């Protein structure tokens, strides 16, 4: 079944490439590791998988060869690429393809978070502590209210437990 699907993909790619208008495209590229190194490139607008291929290595030369084969026969020109900050992919994009490389959003965010994460973590820890203290105080007042209701009451106004709970 897998061979039939792959064969169908080859035939359809050839057929559709002949009917396709020339286009400039972006490629998003990355490697996955299941169970071996797998080179992956996707055109993000159409979500078309340009490349999904197991490889021995993930160096720039391997990427160059794989991408050349992936777009061969297609009337496309890759004008930019997005990927992680892997040195081999950057080399492949900038030297092999001779195009602009942009880091993916995930890795840009990771760099930005490094500068703010400690302060945010400290603020969260303080907020968690304040929340726990408020919960403990509320439970303490509820317990006092239950004790008050369980025993015989004397003269005078009862404590305003509702207000104390709301304040806690």
């Amino acid at each position: 079944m897998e061979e039939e699907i792959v064969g169908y993909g080859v035939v359809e790619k050839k057929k559709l490439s002949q009917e396709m208008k020339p286009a400039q495209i972006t490629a998003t590229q990355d490697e996955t590791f299941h169970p071996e190194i797998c080179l992956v490139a996707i055109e993000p607008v159409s979500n078309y998988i340009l490349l999904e291929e197991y490889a021995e290595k993930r160096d720039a030369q391997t990427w160059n060869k794989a991408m050349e084969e992936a777009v061969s026969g297609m009337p496309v020109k890759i004008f930019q690429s997005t990927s992680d900050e892997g040195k081999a992919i950057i080399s492949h994009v900038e030297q092999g393809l001779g195009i602009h490389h942009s880091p993916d959003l995930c890795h840009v965010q990771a760099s930005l978070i490094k500068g703010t994460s400690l302060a945010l973590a400290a603020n969260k820890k303080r907020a968690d502590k304040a929340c726990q203290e408020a919960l403990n105080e509320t439970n303490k007042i509820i317990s006092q209210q239950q004790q008050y209701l369980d025993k015989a009451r004397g003269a005078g106004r009862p404590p305003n437990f509702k207000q104390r709970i709301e304040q806690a």
Side-chain angles (χ1 to χ4, degrees), residues 37-97:
I37 298 168
C38 184
L39 307 180
V40 179
I42 297 174
E43 193 285 319
V45 175
S46 65
N47 208 27
Y48 179 77
I49 300 172
L50 296 165
L51 171 68
E52 188 174 38
E53 176 182 304
Y54 288 112
E56 292 288 321
K57 299 185 281 186
R58 55 189 180 125
D59 60 3
Q61 293 79 15
T62 304
W63 269 105
N64 291 338
K65 184 175 183 276
M67 283 301 291
E68 184 179 318
E69 290 173 9
V71 297
S72 126
M74 296 175 72
V76 297
K77 166 99 173 90
I78 300 172
F79 72 97
Q80 69 176 346
S81 178
T82 300
S83 71
D84 60 15
E85 294 292 293
K87 291 178 184 177
I89 295 179
I90 291 174
S91 176
H92 148 68
V93 169
E94 293 178 348
Q95 277 120 38
L97 297 175

Side-chain angles (χ1 to χ4, degrees), residues 110-161:
S111 296
L112 293 174
I113 287 172
K114 286 181 183 177
T116 59
S117 62
L118 287 177
L120 290 173
N123 287 343
K124 183 184 180 310
K125 189 174 181 178
R126 280 193 296 275
D128 287 345
K129 182 179 177 188
C131 184
Q132 188 59 50
E133 288 172 356
L135 183 60
N136 291 345
E137 182 63 21
T138 302
N139 288 337
K140 179 179 159 188
I141 295 167
I142 290 171
S143 177
Q144 290 171 353
Q145 179 184 28
Q146 191 59 46
Q147 288 174 6
Y148 176 81
L149 294 173
D150 287 346
K151 65 180 181 179
R153 292 180 225 132
R157 283 189 163 170
N160 190 344
F161 288 109

